[in-house]
């Protein structure tokens, strides 16, 4: 007994080649986009602007700027908490931006390990 695919399903070698070409194009587009995203830099402020973190698209901290009023030797804990909040927000911004950009190419297809 032969299984029959509904019309339009399967398509043989030509359809497979077309799918492979589409996948290769998507991969090339994703690689080009990733390079572009890696070059971007983001400035993220926390603590009402008392701490500013600059991060690049590779999630590497480029710089941290502190306002004078946040540097209080009697209150190191506030500075530490504000730094953690700023760095976490910077990382989240990069991940959200990169994820949104990749989803535009992949159409929200989940591809573990690629990004």
């Amino acid at each position: 007994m032969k299984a029959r695919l509904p019309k339009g399903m399967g398509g043989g070698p030509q359809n497979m080649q077309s799918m492979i070409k589409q996948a290769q194009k998507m991969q090339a587009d994703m690689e080009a986009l990733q390079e572009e995203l890696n070059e971007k830099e983001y400035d993220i402020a926390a603590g009402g602007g008392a701490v500013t973190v600059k991060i690049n698209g590779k999630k590497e901290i480029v710089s941290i700027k502190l306002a004078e009023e946040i540097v209080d030797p009697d209150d190191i804990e506030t500075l530490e908490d504000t730094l953690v909040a700023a760095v976490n927000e910077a990382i989240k911004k990069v991940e959200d931006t990169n994820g949104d950009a990749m989803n535009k190419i992949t159409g929200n297809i989940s591809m573990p390990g690629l990004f």
Side-chain angles (χ1 to χ4, degrees), residues 12-68:
Q14 294 84 6
N15 192 28
M16 182 60 79
Q17 287 176 346
S18 174
M19 286 176 33
I20 290 171
K21 285 182 182 179
Q22 287 176 338
Q24 289 171 336
K25 182 184 181 325
M26 183 186 295
Q27 183 178 7
D29 290 348
M30 288 171 53
E31 288 172 0
L33 178 60
Q34 189 63 58
E35 285 181 33
E36 181 182 321
L37 291 170
N38 286 347
E39 296 300 316
K40 282 188 172 186
E41 289 188 346
Y42 306 86
D43 289 312
I44 309 298
V51 174
T52 303
V53 173
K54 181 176 281 205
I55 189 169
N56 65 25
K58 297 180 211 172
K59 300 180 198 169
E60 298 169 337
I61 303 299
V62 176
S63 68
I64 298 177
K65 303 284 184 196
L66 306 174
E68 285 185 29

Side-chain angles (χ1 to χ4, degrees), residues 1 5 10 20 37 44 60 66 72 83 92-94 108:
M1 175 182 214
L5 294 173
I20 290 171
L37 291 170
I44 309 298
E60 298 169 337
L66 306 174
D72 180 357
L83 282 169
K92 183 179 181 323
K93 175 71 173 180
V94 172
N108 292 324

Side-chain angles (χ1 to χ4, degrees), residues 73-86:
D74 296 327
D75 189 12
I76 298 295
E77 202 170 298
T78 297
L79 175 58
E80 292 169 341
D81 291 345
T82 308
L83 282 169
V84 168

